[in-house]
Structures are given as C-alpha cells and as structure tokens.
Coordinates of all heavy atoms in Angstrom, one line a residue:
M1 N -2.6 -13.9 12.3 CA -1.8 -14.3 11.2 C -1.5 -13.1 10.4 O -2.2 -12.0 10.4 CB -2.5 -15.3 10.3 CG -2.8 -16.5 11.0 SD -3.4 -17.9 9.8 CE -1.9 -18.4 9.1
A2 N -0.4 -13.1 9.6 CA 0.1 -12.0 8.8 C 0.3 -12.2 7.3 O 0.5 -13.4 6.9 CB 1.4 -11.5 9.4
D3 N 0.2 -11.3 6.6 CA 0.5 -11.3 5.2 C 1.1 -10.0 4.7 O 1.1 -9.1 5.6 CB -0.9 -11.6 4.3 CG -0.5 -12.1 3.0 OD1 0.6 -12.5 2.7 OD2 -1.4 -12.2 2.1
Y4 N 1.5 -9.8 3.5 CA 2.2 -8.7 3.1 C 1.6 -8.0 1.8 O 1.2 -8.9 0.9 CB 3.7 -9.1 2.9 CG 4.4 -9.6 4.1 CD1 4.4 -10.9 4.4 CD2 4.8 -8.6 5.0 CE1 4.8 -11.3 5.6 CE2 5.3 -9.1 6.2 CZ 5.3 -10.5 6.6 OH 5.8 -11.0 7.7
G5 N 1.6 -6.8 1.8 CA 1.1 -6.2 0.5 C 2.0 -5.1 0.1 O 3.1 -4.8 0.7
Y6 N 1.7 -4.6 -1.1 CA 2.4 -3.6 -1.8 C 1.5 -2.5 -2.2 O 0.4 -2.7 -2.6 CB 3.1 -4.2 -3.1 CG 3.8 -3.1 -4.0 CD1 5.0 -2.7 -3.8 CD2 3.1 -2.6 -5.1 CE1 5.6 -1.8 -4.6 CE2 3.6 -1.7 -5.8 CZ 5.0 -1.3 -5.6 OH 5.5 -0.3 -6.4
V7 N 2.0 -1.2 -2.0 CA 1.3 0.0 -2.5 C 2.2 0.8 -3.2 O 3.3 1.1 -2.8 CB 0.7 0.7 -1.2 CG1 0.0 2.0 -1.6 CG2 -0.1 -0.2 -0.3
G8 N 1.8 1.3 -4.4 CA 2.6 2.2 -5.1 C 1.8 3.0 -6.2 O 0.7 2.6 -6.6
R9 N 2.3 4.2 -6.5 CA 1.9 5.0 -7.6 C 2.9 4.8 -8.7 O 4.1 5.1 -8.6 CB 1.7 6.4 -7.3 CG 1.2 7.2 -8.5 CD 1.0 8.7 -8.2 NE 0.1 8.9 -7.2 CZ -1.2 9.0 -7.6 NH1 -1.7 8.9 -8.7 NH2 -2.2 9.3 -6.5
L10 N 2.6 4.1 -9.9 CA 3.6 3.7 -10.7 C 3.3 4.4 -12.1 O 2.2 4.8 -12.4 CB 3.4 2.2 -11.1 CG 3.6 1.3 -9.7 CD1 3.4 -0.1 -10.1 CD2 5.0 1.4 -9.2
P11 N 4.4 4.5 -13.0 CA 4.2 5.1 -14.2 C 3.3 4.2 -15.2 O 3.4 3.0 -15.1 CB 5.7 5.2 -14.8 CG 6.4 4.2 -14.2 CD 5.7 4.1 -12.9
R12 N 2.5 4.8 -15.9 CA 1.6 4.2 -16.9 C 2.6 3.6 -18.0 O 3.6 4.2 -18.4 CB 0.6 5.1 -17.5 CG -0.6 5.3 -16.6 CD -1.6 6.2 -17.2 NE -1.8 6.1 -18.6 CZ -2.7 6.7 -19.3 NH1 -3.6 7.4 -18.7 NH2 -2.8 6.6 -20.5
P13 N 2.3 2.4 -18.5 CA 3.1 1.8 -19.6 C 3.2 2.7 -20.8 O 4.3 2.7 -21.5 CB 2.4 0.5 -20.0 CG 1.6 0.1 -18.7 CD 1.2 1.4 -18.2
D14 N 2.1 3.5 -21.1 CA 2.2 4.4 -22.3 C 2.9 5.8 -22.0 O 3.1 6.6 -22.8 CB 0.9 4.7 -22.8 CG -0.1 5.4 -21.9 OD1 0.4 5.9 -20.8 OD2 -1.3 5.7 -22.2
G15 N 3.5 5.9 -20.6 CA 4.2 7.0 -20.3 C 3.4 8.4 -20.2 O 3.9 9.4 -19.9
K16 N 2.1 8.2 -20.1 CA 1.1 9.3 -20.0 C 0.6 9.4 -18.6 O -0.6 9.1 -18.4 CB 0.0 9.3 -21.0 CG 0.6 9.3 -22.4 CD -0.5 9.4 -23.4 CE 0.1 9.4 -24.9 NZ -0.9 9.3 -25.9
G17 N 1.3 9.6 -17.6 CA 0.8 9.7 -16.2 C 1.2 8.5 -15.5 O 2.1 7.8 -15.7
T18 N 0.4 8.3 -14.3 CA 0.7 7.2 -13.4 C -0.7 6.5 -13.0 O -1.7 6.9 -13.5 CB 1.3 7.8 -12.0 OG1 0.3 8.7 -11.5 CG2 2.6 8.5 -12.2
F19 N -0.6 5.4 -12.4 CA -1.7 4.7 -11.9 C -1.5 4.2 -10.4 O -0.2 4.0 -10.1 CB -2.2 3.6 -12.7 CG -1.2 2.5 -12.8 CD1 -1.5 1.3 -12.2 CD2 0.0 2.4 -13.7 CE1 -0.6 0.1 -12.2 CE2 0.8 1.4 -13.7 CZ 0.5 0.2 -13.0
F20 N -2.4 3.9 -9.6 CA -2.3 3.5 -8.3 C -2.4 1.9 -8.3 O -3.4 1.5 -8.8 CB -3.4 4.2 -7.4 CG -3.0 4.2 -6.0 CD1 -2.0 5.0 -5.5 CD2 -3.8 3.5 -5.1 CE1 -1.7 5.1 -4.2 CE2 -3.5 3.5 -3.7 CZ -2.5 4.3 -3.4
Y21 N -1.5 1.3 -7.6 CA -1.4 -0.2 -7.7 C -1.4 -0.7 -6.3 O -0.6 -0.2 -5.4 CB -0.2 -0.7 -8.4 CG 0.0 -2.1 -8.6 CD1 -0.9 -2.8 -9.5 CD2 0.8 -2.9 -8.0 CE1 -0.9 -4.1 -9.8 CE2 0.9 -4.2 -8.1 CZ 0.1 -4.8 -9.0 OH 0.3 -6.2 -9.3
L22 N -2.2 -1.6 -6.0 CA -2.3 -2.4 -4.7 C -2.2 -3.9 -5.1 O -2.7 -4.5 -5.9 CB -3.6 -2.2 -4.0 CG -4.0 -0.8 -3.6 CD1 -5.3 -0.8 -3.0 CD2 -3.1 -0.2 -2.7
A23 N -1.3 -4.6 -4.3 CA -1.2 -6.1 -4.4 C -0.9 -6.7 -3.1 O -0.3 -6.1 -2.2 CB -0.2 -6.3 -5.6
G24 N -1.0 -8.1 -3.0 CA -0.7 -8.7 -1.9 C -0.1 -10.1 -2.3 O -0.3 -10.6 -3.3
T25 N 0.7 -10.6 -1.3 CA 1.2 -12.0 -1.4 C 0.0 -13.0 -1.6 O 0.0 -13.8 -2.5 CB 2.1 -12.5 -0.2 OG1 3.1 -11.4 -0.1 CG2 2.7 -13.9 -0.5
H26 N -1.0 -12.8 -0.8 CA -2.3 -13.5 -0.9 C -3.5 -12.4 -0.8 O -3.2 -11.3 -0.8 CB -2.4 -14.5 0.3 CG -1.2 -15.4 0.3 ND1 -0.2 -15.3 1.1 CD2 -1.1 -16.6 -0.3 CE1 0.7 -16.3 0.9 NE2 0.2 -17.1 0.1
A27 N -4.7 -13.0 -0.9 CA -5.8 -12.0 -0.9 C -5.7 -11.2 0.4 O -6.0 -9.9 0.3 CB -7.1 -12.8 -0.9
Q28 N -5.4 -11.6 1.5 CA -5.4 -10.9 2.7 C -4.3 -9.8 2.6 O -4.5 -8.6 3.2 CB -5.0 -11.8 4.0 CG -6.1 -12.7 4.2 CD -6.0 -14.0 3.4 OE1 -5.1 -14.3 2.7 NE2 -7.1 -14.7 3.5
G29 N -3.3 -10.0 1.9 CA -2.1 -8.9 1.7 C -2.8 -7.7 0.9 O -2.4 -6.6 1.2
T30 N -3.5 -8.1 -0.1 CA -4.2 -7.0 -1.0 C -5.3 -6.3 -0.1 O -5.2 -5.0 -0.2 CB -4.8 -7.6 -2.2 OG1 -3.9 -8.5 -2.9 CG2 -5.4 -6.7 -3.0
L31 N -6.0 -7.0 0.7 CA -6.9 -6.4 1.5 C -6.2 -5.5 2.4 O -6.6 -4.4 2.9 CB -7.8 -7.4 2.3 CG -9.1 -7.0 3.0 CD1 -9.9 -6.1 2.3 CD2 -9.7 -8.1 3.6
G32 N -5.1 -6.0 3.1 CA -4.3 -5.2 4.0 C -3.8 -3.9 3.4 O -3.8 -2.9 4.1
A33 N -3.3 -3.9 2.1 CA -2.8 -2.8 1.5 C -3.9 -1.8 1.2 O -3.7 -0.6 1.5 CB -2.3 -3.2 0.0
A34 N -5.1 -2.2 0.9 CA -6.3 -1.4 0.8 C -6.6 -0.7 2.2 O -6.9 0.5 2.2 CB -7.5 -2.1 0.2
H35 N -6.6 -1.6 3.2 CA -6.9 -1.0 4.5 C -5.9 0.0 4.9 O -6.2 1.0 5.4 CB -6.8 -2.2 5.5 CG -7.1 -1.8 6.9 ND1 -6.1 -1.4 7.7 CD2 -8.2 -1.8 7.7 CE1 -6.7 -1.0 8.9 NE2 -7.9 -1.3 8.9
F36 N -4.6 -0.2 4.6 CA -3.4 0.7 4.9 C -3.8 2.1 4.2 O -3.6 3.2 4.8 CB -2.2 0.2 4.5 CG -1.1 1.2 4.7 CD1 -0.5 1.4 6.0 CD2 -0.7 2.0 3.7 CE1 0.4 2.3 6.1 CE2 0.4 3.0 3.9 CZ 1.0 3.1 5.1
V37 N -4.1 2.1 2.9 CA -4.4 3.3 2.1 C -5.6 4.0 2.8 O -5.6 5.2 2.9 CB -4.6 2.9 0.6 CG1 -5.1 4.2 -0.1 CG2 -3.3 2.5 0.1
A38 N -6.6 3.2 3.0 CA -7.8 3.9 3.5 C -7.6 4.6 4.8 O -8.3 5.6 5.1 CB -8.9 2.8 3.6
T39 N -6.8 4.0 5.7 CA -6.6 4.5 7.0 C -5.5 5.5 7.0 O -5.5 6.4 8.0 CB -6.2 3.5 8.1 OG1 -5.2 2.7 7.7 CG2 -7.5 2.6 8.4
N40 N -4.6 5.8 6.0 CA -3.6 6.6 6.0 C -3.6 7.5 4.7 O -2.5 8.2 4.4 CB -2.2 5.8 6.0 CG -2.1 5.1 7.2 OD1 -1.6 5.6 8.3 ND2 -2.3 3.8 7.1
L41 N -4.7 7.6 4.0 CA -4.8 8.4 2.8 C -4.4 9.8 2.9 O -3.6 10.4 2.3 CB -6.1 8.3 2.3 CG -6.3 9.0 0.8 CD1 -5.4 8.4 -0.2 CD2 -7.8 8.8 0.4
A42 N -4.9 10.6 4.0 CA -4.5 11.9 4.3 C -3.0 12.2 4.4 O -2.4 13.0 3.9 CB -5.4 12.5 5.4
E43 N -2.4 11.3 5.2 CA -0.9 11.4 5.4 C -0.2 11.1 4.2 O 0.8 11.8 3.9 CB -0.6 10.3 6.6 CG -1.2 10.8 8.0 CD -0.9 9.6 8.9 OE1 0.3 8.9 8.7 OE2 -1.7 9.6 9.8
L44 N -0.6 10.1 3.5 CA 0.1 9.8 2.2 C 0.0 11.0 1.3 O 0.9 11.3 0.6 CB -0.5 8.5 1.6 CG -0.1 7.2 2.2 CD1 -1.1 6.1 1.7 CD2 1.3 6.9 2.2
Y45 N -1.2 11.5 1.1 CA -1.4 12.7 0.1 C -0.6 13.8 0.5 O 0.1 14.5 -0.2 CB -2.8 13.0 0.0 CG -3.0 14.0 -1.1 CD1 -2.9 13.8 -2.3 CD2 -3.2 15.5 -0.6 CE1 -3.0 14.8 -3.4 CE2 -3.3 16.4 -1.7 CZ -3.2 16.1 -3.0 OH -3.3 17.1 -3.9
K46 N -0.6 14.1 1.9 CA 0.2 15.2 2.4 C 1.7 15.2 2.1 O 2.3 16.2 1.8 CB -0.1 15.4 3.9 CG 0.6 16.7 4.5 CD 0.4 16.6 6.0 CE 1.1 17.9 6.7 NZ 0.8 17.8 8.1
E47 N 2.2 14.0 2.2 CA 3.6 13.7 1.9 C 4.1 13.7 0.5 O 5.0 14.1 0.0 CB 4.0 12.6 2.7 CG 5.7 12.4 2.5 CD 6.2 11.4 3.6 OE1 5.5 10.9 4.5 OE2 7.3 11.0 3.4
L48 N 3.1 13.0 -0.2 CA 3.4 12.7 -1.7 C 2.7 13.5 -2.7 O 3.3 13.4 -3.9 CB 3.2 11.1 -1.9 CG 3.9 10.2 -0.9 CD1 3.3 8.8 -0.9 CD2 5.3 10.1 -1.4
K49 N 1.6 14.0 -2.5 CA 0.8 14.6 -3.4 C 0.5 13.6 -4.6 O 0.0 12.5 -4.3 CB 1.3 15.9 -4.1 CG 1.7 16.9 -3.0 CD 0.5 17.5 -2.4 CE 0.7 18.8 -1.5 NZ 0.6 18.3 -0.1
N50 N 0.9 13.8 -5.8 CA 0.8 12.9 -7.0 C 2.0 12.3 -7.5 O 2.1 11.8 -8.6 CB -0.1 13.6 -8.1 CG -1.4 13.9 -7.7 OD1 -2.1 13.2 -7.0 ND2 -1.9 15.1 -8.2
R51 N 3.0 12.4 -6.6 CA 4.4 11.8 -7.1 C 4.4 10.3 -7.0 O 3.6 9.7 -6.2 CB 5.4 12.3 -6.2 CG 5.7 13.9 -6.4 CD 6.9 14.3 -5.6 NE 6.7 14.0 -4.2 CZ 6.8 15.0 -3.3 NH1 7.0 16.1 -3.5 NH2 6.7 14.6 -2.0
R52 N 5.2 9.7 -7.8 CA 5.5 8.3 -7.6 C 6.1 7.7 -6.4 O 6.9 8.4 -5.8 CB 6.3 7.9 -8.8 CG 5.6 8.0 -10.2 CD 6.4 7.8 -11.4 NE 7.4 6.7 -11.2 CZ 8.5 6.8 -12.0 NH1 8.8 7.6 -13.0 NH2 9.5 5.7 -11.6
F53 N 5.7 6.6 -5.9 CA 6.3 6.0 -4.8 C 5.9 4.5 -4.8 O 5.1 4.0 -5.5 CB 5.6 6.6 -3.5 CG 4.3 6.2 -3.2 CD1 4.0 5.1 -2.2 CD2 3.3 6.8 -3.8 CE1 2.8 4.8 -1.9 CE2 1.9 6.4 -3.4 CZ 1.6 5.3 -2.6
S54 N 6.6 3.8 -3.8 CA 6.4 2.4 -3.5 C 6.7 2.0 -2.1 O 7.6 2.7 -1.5 CB 7.3 1.5 -4.3 OG 7.1 1.5 -5.8
T55 N 5.9 1.2 -1.5 CA 6.1 0.7 -0.2 C 5.5 -0.6 0.1 O 4.8 -1.0 -0.6 CB 5.5 1.7 0.9 OG1 6.1 1.5 2.2 CG2 4.1 1.7 0.9
V56 N 6.1 -1.3 1.2 CA 5.7 -2.7 1.4 C 4.9 -2.6 2.8 O 5.3 -2.0 3.7 CB 6.9 -3.8 1.5 CG1 6.3 -5.1 2.0 CG2 7.5 -3.8 0.2
I57 N 3.7 -3.3 2.9 CA 2.8 -3.2 4.0 C 2.8 -4.7 4.6 O 2.7 -5.6 3.9 CB 1.4 -2.8 3.6 CG1 1.4 -1.5 2.8 CG2 0.5 -2.9 4.7 CD1 2.0 -0.3 3.6
K58 N 2.8 -4.7 6.1 CA 2.4 -5.8 6.7 C 1.0 -5.7 7.3 O 0.7 -4.8 7.9 CB 3.5 -6.2 7.9 CG 3.2 -7.4 8.8 CD 4.1 -7.5 9.8 CE 3.7 -8.7 10.6 NZ 4.7 -8.9 11.8
C59 N 0.3 -6.7 7.1 CA -1.1 -6.7 7.7 C -1.3 -8.0 8.6 O -0.7 -9.1 8.2 CB -2.2 -6.7 6.6 SG -2.3 -8.1 5.7
V60 N -1.9 -7.8 9.6 CA -2.3 -8.8 10.5 C -3.8 -9.0 10.4 O -4.6 -8.0 10.5 CB -1.9 -8.5 12.1 CG1 -2.3 -9.5 13.0 CG2 -0.4 -8.3 12.1
Y61 N -4.3 -10.2 10.2 CA -5.6 -10.5 10.2 C -6.1 -11.6 11.0 O -5.3 -12.4 11.5 CB -5.9 -10.9 8.6 CG -5.2 -12.1 8.1 CD1 -5.9 -13.4 8.1 CD2 -4.0 -12.0 7.5 CE1 -5.3 -14.5 7.7 CE2 -3.3 -13.2 7.1 CZ -4.0 -14.3 7.1 OH -3.4 -15.6 6.6
D62 N -7.4 -11.6 11.3 CA -8.1 -12.6 12.2 C -8.0 -14.0 11.3 O -8.5 -14.1 10.3 CB -9.5 -12.2 12.3 CG -10.2 -13.1 13.4 OD1 -9.8 -14.2 13.5 OD2 -11.2 -12.7 13.9
P63 N -7.4 -15.0 12.0 CA -7.3 -16.3 11.2 C -8.7 -17.0 11.2 O -8.9 -17.9 10.3 CB -6.3 -17.1 12.2 CG -6.3 -16.5 13.5 CD -6.7 -15.0 13.2
K64 N -9.5 -16.6 12.0 CA -10.9 -17.2 11.9 C -11.8 -16.5 10.8 O -12.6 -17.2 10.1 CB -11.7 -17.1 13.2 CG -11.0 -18.0 14.2 CD -11.7 -18.0 15.5 CE -11.0 -19.0 16.6 NZ -11.6 -18.8 17.8
D65 N -11.6 -15.2 10.6 CA -12.2 -14.5 9.7 C -11.2 -13.8 8.8 O -10.8 -12.7 9.2 CB -13.3 -13.4 10.2 CG -14.1 -12.7 9.2 OD1 -13.8 -12.8 8.1 OD2 -14.8 -11.7 9.6
R66 N -10.7 -14.4 7.8 CA -9.6 -13.9 7.0 C -9.8 -12.6 6.3 O -8.9 -12.0 5.9 CB -9.1 -14.9 6.0 CG -8.6 -16.2 6.7 CD -8.2 -17.3 5.8 NE -7.6 -18.3 6.4 CZ -6.5 -18.9 6.0 NH1 -5.9 -18.6 5.0 NH2 -6.0 -20.0 6.8
R67 N -11.1 -12.1 6.2 CA -11.3 -10.9 5.7 C -11.3 -9.7 6.6 O -11.4 -8.5 6.3 CB -12.8 -10.8 5.2 CG -12.9 -11.9 4.0 CD -14.4 -11.9 3.6 NE -15.1 -12.6 4.8 CZ -16.4 -12.7 4.9 NH1 -17.2 -12.3 3.9 NH2 -16.9 -13.3 6.0
K68 N -11.0 -10.0 7.9 CA -11.0 -9.0 8.9 C -9.5 -8.6 9.3 O -8.8 -9.3 9.8 CB -11.6 -9.5 10.2 CG -11.6 -8.4 11.3 CD -12.4 -8.9 12.6 CE -12.4 -7.9 13.7 NZ -13.1 -8.3 14.8
I69 N -9.2 -7.3 8.9 CA -7.9 -6.8 9.0 C -7.7 -6.3 10.5 O -8.5 -5.3 10.8 CB -7.4 -5.8 8.0 CG1 -7.5 -6.4 6.5 CG2 -6.0 -5.3 8.2 CD1 -6.6 -7.7 6.4
L70 N -6.8 -6.7 11.2 CA -6.6 -6.2 12.6 C -5.7 -4.9 12.7 O -5.9 -4.1 13.5 CB -6.1 -7.3 13.5 CG -7.1 -8.6 13.5 CD1 -6.4 -9.8 14.4 CD2 -8.4 -8.3 14.1
S71 N -4.6 -5.1 11.9 CA -3.7 -3.9 11.9 C -2.8 -4.0 10.6 O -2.8 -5.1 10.0 CB -2.8 -4.0 13.1 OG -1.9 -5.1 13.0
T72 N -2.4 -2.9 10.3 CA -1.5 -2.7 9.1 C -0.2 -1.8 9.5 O -0.5 -0.9 10.4 CB -2.1 -2.1 7.9 OG1 -2.6 -0.7 8.2 CG2 -3.1 -3.0 7.3
E73 N 0.8 -2.0 8.9 CA 2.0 -1.1 9.2 C 2.9 -1.1 8.0 O 3.0 -2.1 7.3 CB 2.8 -1.6 10.4 CG 3.5 -2.9 10.3 CD 4.4 -3.2 11.5 OE1 5.4 -2.4 11.8 OE2 4.1 -4.4 12.0
R74 N 3.6 0.0 7.8 CA 4.5 0.1 6.6 C 5.8 -0.5 7.1 O 6.4 -0.2 8.2 CB 4.6 1.5 6.3 CG 5.3 1.8 4.9 CD 5.2 3.2 4.5 NE 6.2 3.9 5.3 CZ 6.1 5.2 5.7 NH1 4.9 5.8 5.5 NH2 7.0 5.8 6.5
L75 N 6.4 -1.4 6.3 CA 7.6 -2.1 6.6 C 8.8 -1.4 6.0 O 10.0 -1.5 6.5 CB 7.6 -3.6 6.1 CG 6.6 -4.5 6.8 CD1 6.8 -6.0 6.3 CD2 6.9 -4.6 8.3
T76 N 8.6 -0.7 4.9 CA 9.6 0.0 4.3 C 9.4 1.5 4.2 O 8.2 1.9 4.3 CB 9.9 -0.5 2.8 OG1 8.7 -0.3 2.0 CG2 10.2 -2.0 2.9
P77 N 10.5 2.3 4.2 CA 10.1 3.7 3.8 C 9.4 3.9 2.5 O 9.4 3.0 1.6 CB 11.6 4.3 3.8 CG 12.5 3.4 4.3 CD 11.9 1.9 4.1
L78 N 8.9 5.1 2.2 CA 8.3 5.4 1.0 C 9.4 5.7 0.1 O 10.1 6.6 0.0 CB 7.6 6.7 1.2 CG 6.2 6.5 2.0 CD1 5.6 8.0 2.3 CD2 5.2 5.5 1.5
Y79 N 9.7 4.6 -0.9 CA 10.6 4.8 -2.0 C 10.1 5.7 -3.0 O 9.1 5.5 -3.5 CB 11.0 3.4 -2.5 CG 11.8 3.6 -3.9 CD1 13.1 3.9 -3.6 CD2 11.3 3.4 -5.0 CE1 13.9 4.0 -4.8 CE2 12.0 3.5 -6.2 CZ 13.3 3.9 -6.0 OH 14.2 4.0 -7.1
R80 N 10.8 6.8 -3.3 CA 10.4 7.7 -4.4 C 11.6 7.8 -5.4 O 12.6 8.2 -5.1 CB 10.3 9.1 -3.7 CG 8.9 9.1 -3.0 CD 8.8 10.3 -2.2 NE 9.4 10.2 -0.9 CZ 9.3 11.1 0.0 NH1 8.7 12.2 -0.1 NH2 9.9 10.8 1.3
P81 N 11.3 7.3 -6.5 CA 12.2 7.2 -7.6 C 12.7 8.6 -8.1 O 13.9 8.6 -8.6 CB 11.6 6.4 -8.7 CG 10.1 6.6 -8.5 CD 9.9 6.7 -7.0
D82 N 12.1 9.6 -7.7 CA 12.6 10.9 -8.1 C 13.6 11.3 -7.1 O 14.1 12.6 -7.2 CB 11.4 11.9 -8.3 CG 10.5 12.0 -7.1 OD1 10.9 11.4 -6.0 OD2 9.4 12.8 -7.2
G83 N 13.6 10.7 -5.9 CA 14.7 11.1 -5.0 C 14.1 12.1 -4.0 O 14.9 12.6 -3.1
A84 N 12.9 12.6 -4.2 CA 12.3 13.7 -3.3 C 12.1 13.1 -1.9 O 11.8 11.9 -1.7 CB 11.2 14.3 -3.9

C-alpha cells in the first residue's frame, strides 16, 4: 500500500530562521517522510545546505505491518523559493 508525505525546511513564523517539517496524509506518510530524510540526509544536505525547500514523497508500506516502510521516492523536484 502507499501513502504520501511532505518534507520541507520552512520559514519560522517569527521570521528568525527556519524549521524542518515532516507531515503525511496519514501516519504512514509521516513515517515515510522521516524514512526518506533518514536515508537521503547526506544528499539533501549536499544539495541544499540550510536553504529552504519543499518536496512531496511517496512511500510504500507493508499492509500487514503498517509501520514497516518498504520504499520511498520523491515525487516532485526540490522546490526552492529562492530559485536556486
């Protein structure tokens, strides 16, 4: 089965920096977003450093054990509001 997640570094509401945000359509999507970051952290940091970005993730999970993520993939390019 599949679900969808969101990963982004967003501006703080007070304008003083950024924060890292993970979310999912359901719990499995959030878990998939975390799995994607954990398995791709070095590549994400190499490309983005501390710049803002957003992307959507698809995760496939085991329907018998919904906590087991089988695979993740980025569905959208890394959107960067700064245009870099």
